[in-house]
Amino acid sequence: NIGDLTTDQIAEMDKRLAQISRTTNQYRPEIAEGLNVLVASGIDPSKALDYMTVIGRTATAEQAAIVDISRTAFSVADNLKVPIDDLSTAMNILAMSGKEGRFELKDMAQAFPSLTAGASMLGMKGTPAVASLGAALQVAMKGAGSASEAANNLENFIQKVTSPLAIKNFEESFGIDLKRVLLEAAEQGKDPILEVIDTMRVASGGDIFKVSEVFQDKQVLAFIKPMLQNLNEYVRIKNSALSADGIIDSDFNNMMTTTNEQWKQLRINMKELVFPH
């Protein structure tokens, strides 16, 4: 009903679900639930099926909920304009970012839909934007007690950095046009998070009290402080993530050696290959 599918389309989808189930080691109901997220978001059902192999394997590899990964996939495609052909690259970037710190991919899956919406307003797009957000979350964890708190601190920074008060305070404290810094970053395809933090670092001389005059919000400062102290680490994690390749496949293969996934594989093969006959 959601996808307005015909009987023939449903029959064809049924065949593909069987193949995707075996390829991803995910049960059909779980795949269908993830598929429903994409279709309900406005993606054509046949195109949504193309996403599900990458989404399902990522969910198995990183032991994340397939629904969360589906929302992540939609958010990077819709908000950050990552093409479907680059979805696997985006997932590898997030997985690699998770290995570089304490903010794992399954945590990112829950935070990314709202984070990418704000990031797109800063002109962030493509796989570099995925790497920037992944790296920022790792550094944010250094100033937070939990993954949700770290994500909230980053989201607050993204929202407040374009506020009239922040722009006014930036001008008064540093004599710098923050709006121009953000616009130039977007025009030149630079990382706006890095540009703003680095500009503050140079202008303040690393004095957090001067930075606090610009951003007085506690949650924003909880993100800025670790970023000022770990800017080189942020760049390192981002570059490491951008060069990631085959991380999901490697993690998937590792998980398929576990008892839980092997038992699941047996049940899927029985259901898809044996029971129909």
Side-chain angles (χ1 to χ4, degrees):
N1 285 339
I2 293 172
D4 195 23
L5 302 174
T6 65
T7 303
D8 290 341
Q9 285 175 313
I10 290 173
E12 180 61 30
M13 181 176 285
D14 193 52
K15 293 178 185 177
R16 290 195 64 186
L17 282 174
Q19 181 266 324
I20 292 170
S21 179
R22 297 196 306 274
T23 303
T24 62
N25 216 46
Q26 294 281 340
Y27 296 119
R28 277 202 203 199
E30 295 167 339
I31 298 169
E33 197 174 352
L35 189 65
N36 192 50
V37 169
L38 299 181
V39 175
S41 299
I43 296 178
D44 179 80
S46 60
K47 187 177 180 182
L49 272 171
D50 294 335
Y51 282 78
M52 292 315 299
T53 297
V54 174
I55 290 171
R57 286 178 68 85
T58 301
T60 299
E62 307 305 326
Q63 297 295 284
I66 199 168
V67 170
D68 288 339
I69 300 295
S70 295
R71 293 194 182 105
T72 302
F74 175 74
S75 67
V76 299
D78 191 55
N79 293 331
L80 301 182
K81 310 306 176 189
V82 173
I84 186 171
D85 291 342
D86 290 339
L87 180 60
S88 179
T89 301
M91 292 301 162
N92 276 309
I93 286 172
L94 293 181
M96 187 64 188
S97 297
K99 293 180 185 298
E100 292 284 358
R102 295 186 296 121
F103 204 110
E104 299 180 11
L105 191 148
K106 60 185 178 183
D107 300 316
M108 295 181 202
Q110 297 177 5
F112 250 62
S114 57
L115 282 178
T116 53
S120 67
M121 300 302 292
L122 297 180
M124 299 175 71
K125 61 183 179 180
T127 50
V130 177
S132 295
L133 292 176
L137 287 168
Q138 299 307 327
V139 176
M141 276 296 286
K142 297 179 182 294
S146 65
S148 60
E149 185 182 341
N152 194 46
N153 291 342
L154 172 56
E155 186 173 357
N156 270 275
F157 169 79
I158 290 174
Q159 291 175 348
K160 301 290 174 58
V161 76
T162 57
S163 68
L165 181 59
I167 293 171
K168 174 177 174 290
N169 290 345
F170 216 89
E171 178 72 39
E172 291 178 354
S173 298
F174 303 134
I176 297 173
D177 186 347
L178 179 57
K179 185 177 180 180
R180 173 50 50 192
V181 171
L182 290 168
L183 288 174
E184 287 181 355
E187 290 168 1
Q188 298 171 19
K190 294 181 179 178
D191 181 347
I193 296 175
L194 178 60
E195 291 299 306
V196 171
I197 299 294
D198 197 39
T199 299
M200 280 194 294
R201 180 187 64 80
V202 174
S204 68
D207 187 344
I208 191 62
F209 294 103
K210 291 183 179 179
V211 174
S212 299
E213 293 175 1
V214 178
F215 295 100
Q216 299 170 11
D217 184 284
K218 180 181 177 182
Q219 292 171 321
V220 175
L221 288 173
F223 170 73
I224 292 175
K225 288 177 182 178
M227 280 293 288
L228 285 172
Q229 296 168 351
N230 299 275
L231 204 53
N232 290 337
E233 178 73 354
Y234 169 80
V235 174
R236 186 194 67 77
I237 294 173
K238 180 181 175 182
N239 290 336
S240 174
L242 281 171
S243 63
D245 184 38
I247 304 298
I248 296 298
D249 286 341
S250 176
D251 286 354
F252 179 86
N253 291 335
N254 284 338
M255 289 309 304
M256 290 305 295
T257 65
T258 64
T259 303
N260 283 347
E261 293 300 331
Q262 287 181 349
W263 174 242
K264 193 173 179 182
Q265 183 182 42
L266 175 62
R267 294 182 67 186
I268 288 172
N269 285 336
M270 290 289 288
K271 184 173 182 179
E272 301 298 346
L273 299 176
V274 179
F275 290 168
H277 300 289

